[in-house]
Amino acid sequence: MAALELGYESIGFDLNPAMVVAAKARSINPRDCNSLSPLAADIIEKAGKEKFDIQFDDPLTTWLYPQGAGIFRRIDIAIQKLLLPIEQHSIDGERGVNCMSDIAAFFYTAMFRVLRDVLKPFIPSNPTWTKRPNLNNRLSIEEQSVFALYIKQVNEMASVLQFESWGLTALSAKTTIATGTSEALAVDDSSIDMVVTSPPYCTRIDYAVATMPELAILGYRPKDSFQDLRRKMIGTSTVPVAAPTIMREWGEECLTFLERLRLHDSKASSTYYYKSHAQYYASIYNSLKEIARVMKDGGKCVLVVQDSYYKEIHNNLPLITAEMFSSIGLKKITSLDFPAKARMGNKHPSTKKYGLRRATESVICLQKSAYNCPL
């Protein structure tokens, strides 16, 4: 959105389709804001008339009885019929997000927020892990209550967009927002002037699980497509049978950290936790190599990362990523450190014996060239 407002051609992508939908929703042209409330009324009118039998394995039935899940699915169908071409309609399967318009994404994002509101009883103190009740403890909800929440949410989101867009000219820069990777989207070698990114921190936050309700709206079933997506994400808490091959290109800091972790005397350090951290750094390294591939000579990269701890062992992610970048030909220009206001690791009771730790977020600025120049 920042690149769009500044008039730069940009590409934004994420493996998680829920995040792609949210990003597209934020990119609505300011001139379309006045149409959003009337469209919401039309969507709810169509949803109220829709005849639909919920599938027994619909992912929304994880938390809702079939009648309640059907309310959300009828809104889903109404959005598709009103805003998507017929060849993109899908009821039994994942919703395609790459061809979804910004306006359609806006109305799906409103659904995301309403579902989050409805599922409050299942969202614990750790907001990244929504509980899954047994079949007899699911929620029963009323149609008119959900419809009213949806209209309210659309109006609030439209008001925010109108306020934030006040005084802006029409957004006309070419922007692509899609799910996938730079390889899958066929981004050419040495074609990007600047990369701005913040990869998942090494804090074992499972970002697929964190967006499980949103992915359920998009049709991702817990035992099938959802698990496939989960395994692809950087930072996933699922681990392979065997640890990835450790590479010297990951740098001295990374190899030292992994070895100290492997030798730690706490439970599962040498097995699950070693494999999960090795998998994380293998994914990070491959991602950084891809960043280097698409950057032009002289191109810049701004990377935001945060350190963490395994027990008492400092996991210095800023230094590790800088060493990895150095091994693939990018030079660090400068870095800025900021104390993080909140650290998810402090939420777990077992961390108290190590004392309250304050995390540091680092903004690392790099350049792909043999010479140095200001960022």
Side-chain angles (χ1 to χ4, degrees):
M1 188 61 197
L4 189 61
E5 290 180 349
L6 292 168
Y8 291 114
E9 180 179 351
S10 59
I11 305 170
F13 49 88
D14 197 298
L15 281 177
N16 190 333
M19 304 312 297
V20 171
V21 171
K24 287 191 170 196
R26 182 63 183 81
S27 302
I28 281 184
N29 193 304
R31 294 177 298 182
D32 294 329
C33 288
N34 290 331
S35 301
L36 298 176
S37 292
L39 279 170
D42 199 5
I43 287 168
I44 291 303
E45 181 183 359
K46 285 179 167 54
K49 297 176 181 178
E50 189 68 44
K51 303 298 182 185
F52 174 71
D53 293 325
I54 195 77
Q55 301 288 325
F56 77 94
D57 62 344
D58 189 293
L60 291 172
T61 60
T62 301
W63 308 277
L64 305 173
Y65 284 110
Q67 173 269 344
I71 298 170
F72 281 93
R73 202 52 77 200
R74 283 188 282 126
I75 297 174
D76 172 17
I77 294 170
I79 294 172
Q80 293 188 49
K81 287 184 175 180
L82 190 64
L83 296 171
L84 298 180
I86 193 167
E87 63 270 15
Q88 293 179 28
H89 292 188
S90 176
I91 301 302
D92 186 21
E94 299 82 56
R95 313 298 179 266
V97 303
N98 285 356
C99 296
M100 187 182 290
S101 70
D102 295 347
I103 292 179
F106 175 91
F107 288 106
Y108 272 105
T109 302
M111 280 184 70
F112 294 169
R113 294 190 173 194
V114 173
L115 181 61
R116 282 274 170 183
D117 192 44
V118 168
L119 297 185
K120 281 180 181 177
F122 301 131
I123 299 177
S125 58
N126 181 347
T128 65
W129 199 276
T130 305
K131 295 178 182 177
R132 285 177 271 184
N134 62 46
L135 294 179
N136 295 324
N137 289 331
R138 291 176 292 176
L139 291 177
S140 179
I141 55 177
E142 297 296 325
E143 176 183 288
Q144 290 308 312
S145 175
V146 174
F147 286 175
L149 280 172
Y150 188 77
I151 293 293
K152 181 174 181 287
Q153 186 61 246
V154 167
N155 289 337
E156 289 178 355
M157 289 169 59
S159 295
V160 170
L161 284 175
Q162 283 181 313
F163 175 78
E164 292 181 347
S165 301
W166 184 82
L168 288 177
T169 58
L171 305 176
S172 57
K174 181 182 177 183
T175 297
T176 301
I177 302 173
T179 182
T181 65
S182 52
E183 288 179 299
L185 295 173
V187 178
D188 292 337
D189 294 355
S190 304
S191 62
I192 303 298
D193 296 288
M194 173 171 279
V195 175
V196 181
T197 186
S198 180
Y201 304 152
C202 193
T203 50
R204 297 189 64 248
I205 294 177
D206 195 316
Y207 286 93
V209 172
T211 56
M212 192 175 182
E214 290 79 6
L215 290 168
I217 284 190
L218 295 175
Y220 281 72
R221 286 175 165 75
K223 294 182 180 179
D224 300 314
S225 52
F226 173 78
Q227 289 298 337
D228 292 340
L229 175 65
R230 189 181 177 197
R231 283 189 287 268
K232 294 175 183 176
M233 303 282 285
I234 292 178
T236 179
S237 56
T238 62
V239 297
V241 175
T245 302
I246 307 302
M247 301 175 62
R248 60 180 178 80
E249 288 84 358
W250 296 0
E252 182 180 349
E253 181 70 20
C254 182
L255 300 188
T256 300
F257 168 78
L258 288 172
E259 184 63 9
R260 290 185 65 192
L261 185 157
R262 187 181 68 82
L263 297 175
H264 200 278
D265 59 6
S266 62
K267 184 178 180 180
S269 289
S270 63
T271 53
Y272 173 80
Y273 290 106
Y274 175 75
K275 286 193 289 186
S276 68
H277 282 78
Q279 174 181 252
Y280 173 83
Y281 279 115
S283 298
I284 285 289
Y285 181 71
N286 289 335
S287 184
L288 298 183
K289 282 203 304 181
E290 182 64 8
I291 288 173
R293 179 188 73 80
V294 302
M295 286 173 61
K296 293 179 180 178
D297 289 339
K300 315 293 187 348
C301 175
V302 179
L303 188 80
V304 182
V305 292
Q306 181 177 295
D307 68 351
S308 59
Y309 285 84
Y310 177 76
K311 312 301 181 182
E312 75 283 0
I313 306 172
H314 185 210
N315 187 358
N316 194 339
L317 183 55
L319 177 56
I320 290 172
T321 51
E323 288 184 352
M324 285 183 175
F325 263 131
S326 178
S327 74
I328 53 181
L330 270 71
K331 302 178 74 173
K332 186 172 86 168
I333 300 173
T334 187
S335 63
L336 299 170
D337 295 335
F338 301 89
K341 294 182 179 179
R343 180 175 175 269
M344 291 302 298
N346 286 330
K347 289 184 177 290
H348 199 285
S350 67
T351 62
K352 292 180 180 179
K353 64 181 178 181
Y354 300 108
L356 183 64
R357 291 164 172 159
R358 302 208 177 273
T360 300
E361 285 197 321
S362 299
V363 182
I364 305 172
C365 305
L366 306 114
Q367 184 175 30
K368 181 181 177 180
S369 66
Y371 56 89
N372 221 352
C373 69
L375 186 67

